[in-house]
């Protein structure tokens, strides 16, 4: 396997469950071909806290300097590249399950190192373990989450968040901002840009003509203007322009029913391949309701592939060995599929 098939995993907040689910994914043989960017001691400590079958043993950790060196390690060894910019004093004594500026700084350093590796083409994709926004803020990081941080590292390229599982895919027009500010940010231009990015992403997955449903903003998609005019004044013109460009977009649909119509199940083939939602919670609640274990966050518009688990740092169970790695495993599998579809080259997805 050549170096372009290597995936990077950023360790996430070291006070959360990120290191634990990373260790569990490697131990289960579901993180092969991955390298971890972060702090080797944090990953080793997570492995020591977990009880493993004595016949299989717990995975060991090895520090490496470059992704290619992972190929020289025995099976079962977790390769870790020490991220530049980790807290100078280290992370000794870090309390699990608590907001800490050192944890935020370490999480930030791991993300930056993994993203830079992806930008250089050293890895085919970046999978990010969960971070805690308060810890980032405490560390002085001026971004509310992965999406905005990665956007900044990529010179402000327009990006969108997609949350996906086997049943439903949702792309958001607005992300981490108050509802009042989000409504102000919903313009014909931002909706049209989202539709174009969704179409482009699907084409990279091999789906040239995805059926895109656009959810309205207001109850019943405005009910003909009775409950708001954003649908007719802002959203519908964007859909019309997208259709004139050959994009199979429809709507605006009533947001309380469109996700049921789009859901793909064995006894209910979805009417749509993806739903574009105006607001963060409008789009994410339906996907998360279907189960956090299989959900994957994908950032569209970056010059490299980025996926992430569909859950947070779970401070309430950090260090207890109870964290489920299923969503991280799904994020790794999604990153592999997207990288394969892109020919293991850096592309916008």
């Amino acid at each position: 396997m050549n170096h372009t098939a290597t995936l990077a995993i950023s360790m996430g907040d070291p006070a959360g469950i990120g290191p634990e689910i990373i260790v569990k994914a490697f131990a289960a043989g579901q993180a092969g071909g991955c390298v971890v960017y972060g702090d080797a001691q944090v990953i080793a400590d997570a492995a020591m806290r977990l009880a493993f079958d004595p016949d299989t043993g717990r995975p060991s950790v090895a520090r490496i300097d470059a992704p290619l060196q992972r190929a020289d390690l025995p099976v079962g060894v977790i390769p870790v590249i020490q991220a530049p910019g980790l807290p100078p004093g280290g992370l000794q004594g870090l309390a699990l399950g608590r907001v800490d500026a050192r944890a935020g700084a370490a999480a930030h350093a791991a993300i930056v190192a993994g993203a830079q590796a992806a930008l250089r083409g050293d890895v085919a994709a970046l999978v990010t373990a969960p971070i805690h926004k308060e810890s980032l803020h405490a560390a002085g990081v001026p971004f509310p989450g992965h999406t905005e941080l990665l956007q900044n590292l990529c010179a402000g390229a327009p990006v969108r968040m997609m949350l996906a599982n086997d049943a439903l895919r949702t792309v958001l027009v607005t992300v981490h901002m108050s509802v009042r500010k989000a409504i102000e940010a919903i313009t014909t231009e931002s909706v049209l840009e989202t539709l174009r990015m969704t179409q482009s992403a699907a084409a990279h997955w091999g789906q040239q003509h995805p059926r895109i449903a656009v959810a309205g903003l207001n109850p019943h998609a405005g009910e003909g203007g009775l409950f708001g005019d954003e649908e007719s004044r802002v959203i519908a013109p964007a859909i019309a322009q997208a259709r004139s460009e050959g994009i199979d977009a429809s709507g605006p649909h009533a947001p309380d029913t469109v996700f049921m119509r789009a859901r793909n199940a064995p006894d209910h083939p979805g009417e749509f391949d993806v739903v574009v939602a105006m607001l963060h919670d409008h789009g994410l609640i339906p996907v998360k309701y279907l189960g956090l274990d299989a959900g994957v966050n994908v950032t569209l518009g970056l010059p490299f592939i980025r996926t992430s688990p569909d859950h947070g740092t779970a401070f309430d169970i950090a260090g207890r060995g109870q964290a489920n790695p299923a969503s991280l495993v799904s994020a790794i599998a999604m990153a592999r599929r997207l990288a394969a579809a892109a020919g293991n080259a850096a592309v916008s997805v």
Side-chain angles (χ1 to χ4, degrees):
M1 186 180 292
N2 61 36
H3 76 285
T4 56
T6 300
L7 306 185
I9 304 176
S10 60
M11 73 173 179
D13 191 306
I17 63 170
E20 177 183 330
I21 59 176
I22 289 171
V23 171
K24 287 181 174 179
F26 273 96
Q30 294 172 310
C34 296
V35 297
V36 179
Y37 283 80
D39 185 290
Q41 190 60 52
V42 166
I43 303 301
D45 289 346
M48 287 299 297
R49 285 192 296 268
L50 296 173
F52 285 98
D53 186 322
D55 293 331
T56 58
R58 69 168 46 85
S60 59
V61 175
R63 283 184 58 171
I64 61 175
D65 298 316
L68 275 176
Q69 294 175 358
R70 69 166 177 79
D72 300 326
L73 298 176
V75 174
V77 176
I78 303 174
V80 179
I81 295 178
Q82 203 76 355
L86 290 169
L91 296 170
Q92 293 79 10
L94 183 72
L96 298 181
R98 296 183 183 177
V99 171
D100 191 297
R102 289 186 300 159
H108 177 255
I111 297 164
V112 171
Q116 289 175 340
L119 286 168
R120 291 192 300 268
D122 294 343
V123 295
L126 172 63
V127 181
T128 58
I131 57 176
H132 199 286
K133 293 176 175 58
E134 289 184 53
S135 294
L136 279 186
H137 181 74
V141 178
F143 304 103
H146 277 113
T147 304
E148 297 84 358
L149 171 55
L150 293 170
Q151 179 182 30
N152 180 71
L153 291 172
C154 297
V159 297
R160 294 294 187 273
M161 177 189 291
M162 181 181 81
L163 204 62
N165 57 31
D166 290 340
L168 188 62
R169 288 177 173 176
T170 302
V171 178
L172 307 179
V173 176
T174 62
V175 190
H176 296 128
M177 57 181 69
S178 71
V179 172
R180 180 172 284 107
K181 290 184 177 178
I183 291 173
E184 294 172 356
I186 297 168
T187 64
T188 298
E189 292 72 23
S190 66
V191 175
L192 178 58
E193 184 174 56
T194 305
L195 291 169
R196 288 169 174 163
M197 293 173 69
T198 302
Q199 168 69 35
S200 176
H204 284 298
W205 307 327
Q207 194 169 23
Q208 297 300 320
H209 301 289
R211 300 165 298 169
I212 304 173
V214 182
L217 172 66
N218 297 298
H220 301 195
E223 196 72 68
L226 293 176
F227 306 141
D229 67 352
E230 285 85 0
E231 281 75 16
S232 60
R233 179 172 53 85
V234 175
I235 301 172
I239 296 172
Q241 177 60 34
R243 292 185 64 84
S244 75
E245 297 174 11
I247 298 173
D248 185 4
S250 63
H253 299 281
D256 61 345
T257 57
V258 68
F259 298 99
M260 292 185 288
R261 295 171 60 190
R263 181 186 181 189
N264 186 51
D267 59 344
H268 179 272
E271 293 180 43
F272 310 108
D273 299 305
V274 61
V275 178
V276 167
M278 299 298 117
L279 300 176
H280 180 279
D281 286 8
H282 277 189
L284 298 195
I285 288 173
V287 183
K288 293 191 176 191
Y289 179 77
L290 294 175
L292 293 175
D293 292 349
V296 178
N297 183 347
V298 183
T299 303
L300 310 185
L302 295 173
F304 56 84
I305 295 163
R306 179 260 170 166
T307 68
S308 182
D310 175 24
H311 58 71
T313 51
F315 273 180
D316 57 323
I317 61 170
R320 298 183 183 180
Q322 300 172 0
N324 187 342
S327 188
L328 176 66
V329 169
S330 294
I332 292 169
M334 174 77 79
R336 285 192 183 118
R337 289 198 298 272
L338 295 180
N344 291 328
V347 294
S348 296
V349 297

